[in-house]
Amino acid sequence: MKAERSRQMKRTILTIDIGGSHVKMMTSNGRIKCEFESEPDLTAKEMVRKVKALTKDWSYDVISIGYPGPVCGNRPLREPFNLGAGWKGFDFPKAFGKPTRVVNDALMQALGGYRGGRMLFLGLGTGLGSAMIVDGELEPMELAHLPYLKGKTYEDYAGKAGRKRLGNKRWRKHVADIVGQLTAALEPDEVLIGGGNVKHLDKLPPKSRRGDNADAFEGGFRLWDQTGVDARARVR
């Protein structure tokens, strides 16, 4: 057991965070980071090619991937809304030639910011990411496309397009309302609000805290070390 633990501690993890505007990468050893723009026609094969090219001089043993959509059996369950085709069912471990764990990108961010108990994560980015962690158990969620107002979804109001359409003042009111609705329904101990657009919130809703840009990378590292998650789940 000690030998296995020692081997895991020495293992270098590459975390890949696939977003609607950028694909970001970082290693656990040395925290080397780089990124490239994710064009609307970006395919899974092209993403792998670009990552390999940018990290050709990096050394890593295993990979974590945060994918912007549902994941089942370590593979994307459907095509992403804001990228190209060829993602559904894509075999990332085979493409990279290394052990790879694929999870929903919101779940990976949630894991990186988790402190214990029942936590709801909402990611304000190109869309609206969502996940829960309950006493260390990871629960990916797809709340973004549930109906909200006037035939539109939560994502239509809380996502990037919603902020552009509504303006910051009205967008903030809807974000607060959405967080309130989901908090009442899911009863988390706290809400972690992350994503690139959290910076546009001047005041956070009750029971909420602001996520960090590094949460996605930290979550990717923790995917290969469940003991860290279990320890936080025991702290109340």
Side-chain angles (χ1 to χ4, degrees):
M1 181 66 72
K2 289 184 178 180
E4 173 64 15
R5 178 64 177 160
S6 176
R7 185 187 68 80
Q8 289 182 359
M9 290 177 66
K10 294 178 181 178
R11 177 174 53 195
T12 299
I13 303 161
L14 172 67
T15 292
I16 304 171
D17 181 24
I18 304 171
S21 59
H22 291 84
V23 175
K24 303 175 183 179
M25 295 148 280
M26 180 184 284
T27 59
S28 58
N29 183 18
R31 303 294 169 118
I32 305 169
K33 179 184 175 182
C34 70
E35 63 182 64
F36 61 88
E37 291 187 4
S38 51
E39 303 293 340
D41 59 350
L42 181 70
T43 66
K45 287 184 178 180
E46 180 66 6
M47 187 279 289
V48 171
R49 187 192 69 77
K50 287 187 175 183
V51 169
K52 284 184 174 180
L54 288 171
T55 62
K56 62 182 180 180
D57 297 324
W58 296 11
S59 176
Y60 50 91
D61 305 298
V62 297
I63 300 172
S64 295
I65 296 178
Y67 173 74
V71 174
C72 183
N74 215 38
R75 299 189 185 197
L77 192 59
R78 65 173 182 238
E79 301 293 342
F81 284 93
N82 302 302
L83 300 174
W87 297 84
K88 180 180 178 181
F90 190 81
D91 190 340
F92 287 104
K94 181 179 179 180
F96 280 108
K98 291 182 180 291
T100 303
R101 292 180 178 175
V102 186
V103 297
N104 174 262
D105 60 343
L107 184 61
M108 194 164 77
Q109 291 182 56
L111 180 57
Y114 181 62
R115 295 178 180 173
R118 293 174 57 88
M119 188 193 79
L120 170 65
F121 172 83
L122 295 174
L124 304 175
T126 304
L128 175 66
S130 57
M132 280 197 78
I133 303 180
V134 180
D135 296 332
E137 293 295 324
L138 311 183
E139 301 288 346
M141 307 184 81
E142 290 293 320
L143 303 175
H145 304 290
L146 294 177
Y148 174 54
L149 284 177
K150 301 178 180 179
K152 294 185 179 296
T153 66
Y154 285 124
E155 182 169 278
D156 290 329
Y157 279 83
K160 180 179 179 180
R163 189 176 71 85
K164 185 177 180 180
R165 183 182 76 252
L166 298 166
N168 279 339
K169 186 175 180 180
R170 292 175 60 202
W171 175 78
R172 290 183 187 121
K173 289 182 178 180
H174 283 292
V175 168
D177 182 48
I178 289 169
V179 173
Q181 287 189 19
L182 296 177
T183 299
L186 299 170
E187 299 184 331
D189 298 324
E190 66 170 351
V191 182
L192 178 64
I193 304 179
N197 282 327
V198 70
K199 64 186 177 185
H200 298 292
L201 293 181
D202 50 3
K203 181 180 179 181
L204 295 182
K207 297 177 68 174
S208 300
R209 62 182 170 92
R210 197 179 303 269
D212 188 275
N213 288 336
D215 284 347
F217 296 119
E218 184 62 33
F221 304 150
R222 289 182 183 177
L223 279 176
W224 292 91
D225 183 15
Q226 187 65 26
T227 57
V229 180
D230 294 340
R232 286 166 178 79
R234 290 193 293 271
V235 177
R236 292 298 194 140

